[in-house]
Amino acid sequence: MQYLVESALYSASQLFMLPVLLAVILMFLYAFYAVGGFLWQSRQRRQGDARGFDLLHSWRQAPGMSAVELETLAFKRLEVPRIVTRVTPMLGLVATMIPMGPALKGLSSGQLDQVSDNLTVAFSAVILSLLAASLTYWVVNVRRRWYAEELVQIEHEQRNGRSAAASIAHELTVETV
């Protein structure tokens, strides 16, 4: 009975190998997409383009937005990269552990080429996962700071009018990444 359960668990875990590897690849590609969008937004911000200031631009299009609505918009825009940042390392671990079973089986039967192939997949997947998580982590944290600065500027403009917030806008425009 125990052998049957162990075999079923092993077989079930092997079914997840392809979907996990595909998810790792998709998240790796998404990380570069996110970095590209981030770099473009950074360029827009340095040039003073209003579209680079997401929350300010949205608020100026709809000045009746409350602080809660703006914060919700910021959370919404950070949601996908935050999920990628947190889920990708877990998938990397799964993609590392799944091929370990066949690698150990190959080792016990003296098939070193099978061990090598499985370990190559395992380590490649975890490396790509960690790179993707690192890139999206960087994007999320810098954007979080940008959104906080924009919320401060919106608050100043609501209290004191646009001219009083001009110096803050200038500071946000000349910042470095």
Side-chain angles (χ1 to χ4, degrees):
M1 178 67 171
Q2 182 179 347
Y3 176 75
L4 184 62
V5 172
E6 290 171 355
S7 295
L9 286 174
Y10 175 77
S11 297
S13 71
Q14 295 306 305
L15 291 174
F16 287 101
M17 188 62 187
L18 182 60
V20 168
L21 289 176
L22 291 175
V24 166
I25 290 169
L26 285 174
M27 290 187 186
F28 183 72
L29 294 174
Y30 174 80
F32 282 97
Y33 170 78
V35 167
F38 170 79
L39 292 174
W40 183 255
Q41 184 180 9
S42 176
R43 181 177 177 268
Q44 289 176 320
R45 291 173 70 89
R46 279 193 308 274
Q47 293 177 345
D49 185 344
R51 292 171 296 179
F53 298 88
D54 288 351
L55 298 182
L56 277 168
H57 184 69
S58 297
W59 177 68
R60 288 186 176 138
Q61 297 297 319
M65 290 180 77
S66 69
V68 172
E69 290 171 317
L70 288 166
E71 287 177 19
T72 303
L73 181 61
F75 282 126
K76 182 179 177 183
R77 291 186 179 162
L78 291 173
E79 189 170 22
V80 173
R82 279 186 67 233
I83 289 171
V84 170
T85 297
R86 295 191 177 171
V87 170
T88 306
M90 290 183 258
L91 289 176
L93 178 61
V94 170
T96 301
M97 298 309 295
I98 291 173
M100 289 296 188
L104 292 172
K105 281 179 113 177
L107 184 61
S108 70
S109 62
Q111 297 175 344
L112 294 180
D113 58 330
Q114 184 181 0
V115 174
S116 175
D117 291 343
N118 283 304
L119 290 179
T120 300
V121 170
F123 291 124
S124 298
V126 78
I127 288 168
L128 293 181
S129 297
L130 292 174
L131 284 171
S134 298
L135 292 171
T136 55
Y137 180 79
W138 175 60
V139 168
V140 165
N141 281 297
V142 174
R143 276 201 175 132
R144 186 180 307 145
R145 177 180 49 84
W146 285 351
Y147 290 153
E149 291 170 346
E150 289 177 43
L151 289 171
V152 168
Q153 183 176 351
I154 289 168
E155 185 179 322
H156 281 279
E157 286 187 23
Q158 286 175 333
R159 267 193 265 147
N160 306 323
R162 280 189 159 190
S163 61
S167 64
I168 294 172
H170 177 71
E171 289 175 21
L172 293 177
T173 303
V174 296
E175 74 176 61
T176 59
V177 177

